[in-house]
């Protein structure tokens, strides 16, 4: 199995479709808490939490697909 480099992971996060992309980048790459992301994006915190949950699921799927190559 080939290890994914940090740049690959960052690219995967930054290329997520909206509404997941910006929230995921702020959380996973910038380290912002959910409350700060919600405020910056003008979304309720539960919405941001849901979007992060879905973003992580999408990323997990993409990583698994890459590992099978």
């Amino acid at each position: 199995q080939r290890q994914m480099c940090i740049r690959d992971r960052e690219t995967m996060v930054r290329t997520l479709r909206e509404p997941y992309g910006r929230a995921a980048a702020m959380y996973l790459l910038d380290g912002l808490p959910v409350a700060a992301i919600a405020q910056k994006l003008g979304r309720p915190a539960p919405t941001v939490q849901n979007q992060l949950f879905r973003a992580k699921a999408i990323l997990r799927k993409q990583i698994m697909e890459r590992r099978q190559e």
Side-chain angles (χ1 to χ4, degrees):
Q1 287 183 0
R2 184 178 94 209
Q3 290 286 334
M4 289 182 63
C5 73
I6 293 170
R7 189 177 305 153
D8 289 341
R9 289 183 221 161
E10 183 176 331
T11 299
M12 289 174 73
V13 171
R14 294 201 184 276
T15 57
L16 284 170
R17 70 183 187 275
E18 288 304 323
Y20 314 114
R22 285 191 294 164
M26 289 180 188
Y27 184 78
L28 297 170
L29 303 177
D30 301 334
L32 293 177
V34 171
I37 297 167
Q39 184 178 13
K40 285 181 182 256
L41 297 178
R43 300 174 188 163
T47 298
V48 172
Q49 288 175 319
N50 190 308
Q51 291 168 344
L52 291 172
F53 178 82
R54 291 180 181 178
K56 290 176 197 176
I58 292 167
L59 291 169
R60 268 193 297 277
K61 183 179 177 190
Q62 290 175 352
I63 290 168
M64 294 303 289
E65 288 171 355
R66 282 187 177 208
R67 286 183 179 168
Q68 292 176 355
E69 292 177 354

